[in-house]
């Protein structure tokens, strides 16, 4: 995404939020650490080991120690000549896609003292970069995809290029193919088996603006601007077919995937967590409204890291990931809160319920006095049967009540915790 557009958007968001006095909102996601910046420009992030490497826009490459997620600490920065956006890491070398400065090659063997060792700038406007097999694949906006030999990192050499339609803003590599998010030109699939002569194999014209892309197995997951998450079957690269989609509330930009979960940096609506275990029916299981402009995201270990233009945040999504499983794709004929199993239970039980149509689902636990002790689900869900793995370790032994509200439907079940 063009840096000027990002700057204009964040200014608008900050103006509105200060006027309305917004407060943070979330579901099944909590922020554990943050660094706030006085300047705007934190636009992308990649984590390796104990360090986050952040594309800091006009402030260049920033390196943050995240060994203690509750207390992230910036230990160094490297001032690139343009606006640092995408970052790739390979063998203690950071490859930085620098919008006005091309590809910058930075030695990070000592993260506290990063040092530039090489660059490639000729006609190179760089949005994003991935490194695989000794080559850097750079999304170069209107110049499409550029392939550089970085076997000698200090002296990158151009070996091939392909001018894609639209604006190449993000790239993912899988096997002999480069998958390019091409803005309004959608997903472009480039055969890179012959790096000197890359050629387009197929494409899928997404309905929005393809801003970010990740590939896992036979699917490409596209953050598609105003059209949310698009899931595209790429098992036949010549004829990609959309399998499913999830319409996020904001303007999807950054995207990351781990296992069956996709994480979306969704501009003004923050971090969205989407279950893609069934690509035909993705559904949101958690979110954190950062109240900023979320444009970059990555996941590592138990945490998700978000570049939010004016801040860098670390989020714990374990509750969202561990609590709700979709157990059936069949559409129930009616809503129901089913008996939990086991009951009575010691520490853990399964709460089971059925949703007959797409609706906001609210699942909460109350004690015998009517006091709420846990909010388990509070987001929209598609039709299906679900299981919530409820942990009662923090509660005292006794009787509790689980209440399901889904649209006009409401039902309560008694559960008994033994210790």
């Amino acid at each position: 995404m063009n840096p000027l557009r990002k700057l204009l958007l964040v200014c608008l968001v900050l103006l509105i939020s200060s006027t309305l006095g917004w407060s943070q909102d979330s579901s099944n996601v909590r922020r554990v650490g943050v660094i706030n910046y006085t300047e705007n420009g934190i636009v992308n992030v990649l984590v390796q080991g104990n360090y986050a490497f952040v594309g800091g826009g006009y402030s260049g490459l920033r390196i943050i120690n995240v060994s203690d997620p509750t207390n992230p600490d910036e230990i160094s920065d490297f001032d690139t000549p343009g606006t640092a956006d995408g970052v790739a890491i390979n063998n203690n070398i950071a490859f930085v896609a620098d919008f006005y400065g091309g590809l910058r090659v930075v030695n990070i063997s000592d993260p506290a003292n990063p040092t530039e060792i090489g660059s490639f700038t000729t006609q190179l406007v760089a949005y994003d970069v991935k490194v695989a097999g000794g080559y850097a694949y750079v999304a170069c906006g209107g110049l499409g995809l550029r392939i550089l030999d970085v076997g000698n990192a200090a002296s990158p050499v151009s070996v091939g290029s392909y001018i894609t339609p639209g604006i190449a803003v993000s790239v993912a590599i899988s096997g002999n193919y480069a998958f390019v998010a091409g803005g309004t030109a959608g997903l472009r699939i480039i055969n890179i088996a012959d790096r000197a002569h890359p050629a387009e194999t197929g494409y899928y014209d997404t309905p929005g603006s393809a801003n970010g892309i990740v590939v896992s197995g036979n699917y490409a997951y596209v953050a598609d601007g105003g059209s949310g998450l698009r899931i595209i079957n790429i098992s036949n690269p010549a004829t990609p077919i959309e399998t499913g989609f999830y319409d996020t509330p904001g303007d999807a930009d950054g995207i990351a995937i781990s296992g069956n979960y996709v994480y979306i940096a969704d501009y003004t609506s923050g971090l969205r967590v989407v279950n893609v275990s069934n690509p035909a029916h993705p559904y949101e299981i958690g979110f954190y409204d950062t109240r900023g402009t979320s444009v970059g995201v990555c996941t590592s270990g138990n945490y998700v890291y978000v570049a939010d233009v004016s801040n860098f945040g670390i989020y714990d999504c374990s509750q969202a990931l561990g609590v709700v499983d979709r157990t059936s794709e069949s559409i129930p004929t009616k809503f129901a809160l089913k008996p939990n199993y086991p009951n009575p239970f010691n520490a853990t039980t399964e709460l089971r319920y059925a949703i007959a149509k797409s609706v906001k689902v609210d699942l909460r636990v109350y004690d015998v006095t009517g006091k709420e002790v846990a909010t388990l689900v509070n987001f929209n869900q598609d039709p299906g049967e679900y299981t919530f793995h409820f942990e009662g370790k923090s509660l005292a032994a006794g009787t509790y009540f689980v209440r399901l509200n889904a649209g006009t439907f409401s039902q309560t079940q008694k559960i008994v915790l033994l210790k």
Side-chain angles (χ1 to χ4, degrees):
M1 189 58 60
N2 188 290
L4 179 58
R5 181 186 174 191
K6 289 181 179 178
L7 182 58
L8 292 174
L9 278 171
V10 74
C11 289
L12 177 61
V13 170
L14 293 174
L15 175 62
I16 295 174
S17 62
S18 63
T19 302
L20 298 180
W22 277 343
S23 59
Q24 291 181 340
D25 194 8
S26 64
S27 175
N28 293 333
V29 176
R30 65 187 182 95
R31 186 160 69 184
V32 297
V34 66
I35 298 178
N36 292 306
Y37 290 97
T38 55
E39 73 275 15
N40 295 322
I42 309 303
V43 295
N44 218 325
V45 58
L46 175 68
V47 172
Q48 181 168 289
N50 289 327
Y51 299 96
F53 300 87
V54 177
Y58 290 107
S59 61
L61 174 67
R62 314 188 83 124
I63 302 178
I64 300 171
N65 187 323
V66 293
S67 57
D68 177 3
T70 65
N71 187 33
D73 179 31
E74 182 174 306
I75 60 170
S76 65
D77 64 83
F78 180 81
D79 189 12
T80 57
T83 57
D85 198 337
V87 182
I89 306 293
N90 187 55
N91 295 330
N92 287 324
I93 302 295
F95 297 85
V96 182
D98 194 48
F99 185 75
Y100 296 112
L103 181 69
R104 318 305 297 191
V105 184
V106 182
N107 187 319
I108 54 169
S109 55
D110 179 3
N113 296 286
T115 305
E116 184 169 277
I117 60 172
S119 64
F120 188 94
T121 59
T122 303
Q123 293 184 329
L124 191 59
V125 175
Y127 280 94
D128 188 27
V129 58
K130 296 296 186 294
V131 175
Y135 293 88
Y137 301 85
V138 187
C140 300
L143 298 176
L145 176 70
R146 179 68 66 89
I147 304 175
L148 306 177
D149 184 338
V150 292
N152 178 359
S155 300
V157 177
S158 178
V159 296
S161 63
Y162 184 85
I163 299 178
T164 58
I167 303 295
V169 293
S170 182
V171 59
I173 305 299
S174 180
N176 288 326
Y177 297 95
F179 299 85
V180 177
T184 55
L187 169 66
R188 319 304 297 196
I189 303 177
I190 314 299
N191 189 318
I192 54 172
D194 180 357
R195 296 180 184 87
H197 301 95
E200 184 168 277
T201 297
Y203 70 93
Y204 184 83
D205 189 7
T206 58
S209 176
N211 296 328
I213 184 168
V214 291
V215 173
S216 179
N218 289 326
Y219 296 95
Y221 301 84
V222 179
D224 197 44
S227 294
L229 170 67
R230 318 304 295 197
I231 303 177
I232 302 168
N233 189 317
I234 53 170
S235 56
N236 182 353
T239 57
I241 301 171
E242 183 169 277
T243 299
F245 70 93
Y246 179 78
D247 190 8
T248 58
D251 193 11
D253 192 349
I255 187 168
I257 188 169
S258 179
N260 289 325
Y261 305 98
V262 163
Y263 305 89
I264 299 171
D266 199 43
Y267 268 167
T268 54
S269 73
L271 171 65
R272 321 303 295 197
V273 185
V274 181
N275 186 313
V276 294
S277 55
N278 181 349
H281 298 286
Y283 60 96
E284 185 171 278
I285 57 173
F287 70 90
Y288 191 100
D289 194 341
T290 62
R291 300 305 187 189
T293 306
S294 298
V295 291
V297 62
C298 79
T299 178
S300 179
N302 295 323
Y303 298 100
V304 177
Y305 304 81
V306 177
D308 201 45
V309 177
S310 60
N311 72 65
F312 164 79
I314 304 176
Y315 298 84
D316 179 359
C317 301
S318 57
Q319 184 181 8
L321 306 188
V323 295
V324 183
D325 290 329
R326 196 175 198 159
T327 55
S328 173
E329 297 304 325
S330 62
I331 299 178
T333 58
K334 60 182 180 179
F335 291 88
L337 176 61
K338 301 179 180 181
N340 65 301
Y341 180 82
N343 191 30
F345 69 100
N346 185 348
T348 303
T349 189
E350 293 185 350
L351 307 178
R352 298 173 292 178
Y353 58 95
I355 301 301
K357 65 179 181 179
S358 296
V359 69
K360 183 175 181 180
V361 175
D362 188 280
L363 186 68
R364 301 177 189 242
V365 180
Y366 300 85
D367 65 17
V368 292
T369 70
K371 178 183 177 182
E372 179 185 324
V373 297
T375 298
L376 309 181
V377 175
N378 184 28
F379 47 82
N380 291 329
Q381 289 187 285
D382 290 332
E385 295 184 358
Y386 296 88
T387 297
F388 187 105
H389 303 278
F390 178 59
E391 295 277 354
K393 294 178 181 178
S394 62
L395 300 178
T399 298
Y400 294 88
F401 296 90
V402 179
R403 180 179 300 161
L404 173 68
N405 290 308
T408 59
F409 175 83
S410 182
Q411 186 176 351
T412 301
Q413 295 275 9
K414 182 172 72 173
I415 63 175
V416 178
L417 173 61
L418 302 177
K419 289 192 175 181

